[in-house]
Amino acid sequence: MSCACPACGQLLPATFFSFDAESGILVSRGRFVQLPRREATIMEYLLDRRGRMVSKSSLFEELYRRDDEPETENVIESHVSKLKKKVTPLGVKIRSERFKGYMLTLNEVAA
């Protein structure tokens, strides 16, 4: 199974994995998804730390470094939940562990 690259139209093998943080385009398992800005930022942060637990507070600090901070870190749970639904079919697993944070792993995809 293969898909066409969303940027250039070139056919990509099912084992191809790519994430472009600027555009938010994630390509994996012969599929692609374009992530909104905040979800793309979370994806980039977790991907850079894949296989390691990342706390909700560190994600919050990464996501809301400017004055547009919401009042609570609970907004992270909402963003991660939406992100999980989009990336799970592409072989990207985001595990949540209560009081510890989130961990990203790649299932059967080249990275």
Side-chain angles (χ1 to χ4, degrees):
M1 180 205 294
S2 63
C3 77
C5 172
C8 68
Q10 178 183 351
L11 287 179
L12 302 170
T15 57
F16 182 81
F17 178 87
S18 174
F19 177 65
D20 179 50
E22 192 171 314
S23 68
I25 295 176
L26 172 68
V27 180
S28 179
R29 285 190 170 177
R31 298 176 173 176
F32 76 93
V33 65
Q34 185 164 14
L35 303 172
R37 178 177 57 96
R38 296 211 192 275
E39 290 173 27
T41 302
I42 291 171
M43 181 67 189
E44 179 181 32
Y45 194 78
L46 291 175
L47 195 56
D48 287 346
R49 292 155 183 81
R50 75 174 161 242
R52 291 183 276 163
M53 194 58 67
V54 174
S55 71
K56 188 189 329 183
S57 60
S58 66
L59 270 173
F60 183 80
E61 288 173 20
E62 178 68 19
L63 208 56
Y64 295 101
R65 288 191 239 177
R66 298 170 213 64
D67 296 331
D68 62 345
E69 289 188 27
E71 293 181 20
T72 175
E73 290 182 1
N74 292 338
V75 70
I76 296 300
E77 293 173 13
S78 174
H79 287 305
V80 171
S81 175
K82 291 175 189 175
L83 178 61
K84 278 178 162 182
K85 289 176 185 173
K86 293 174 185 171
V87 302
T88 299
L90 280 69
V92 178
K93 182 178 180 189
I94 300 173
R95 188 179 95 216
S96 23
E97 211 168 297
R98 191 175 171 132
F99 302 117
K100 288 189 178 181
Y102 305 96
M103 182 187 300
L104 181 140
T105 55
L106 302 175
N107 300 329
E108 302 173 25
V109 291

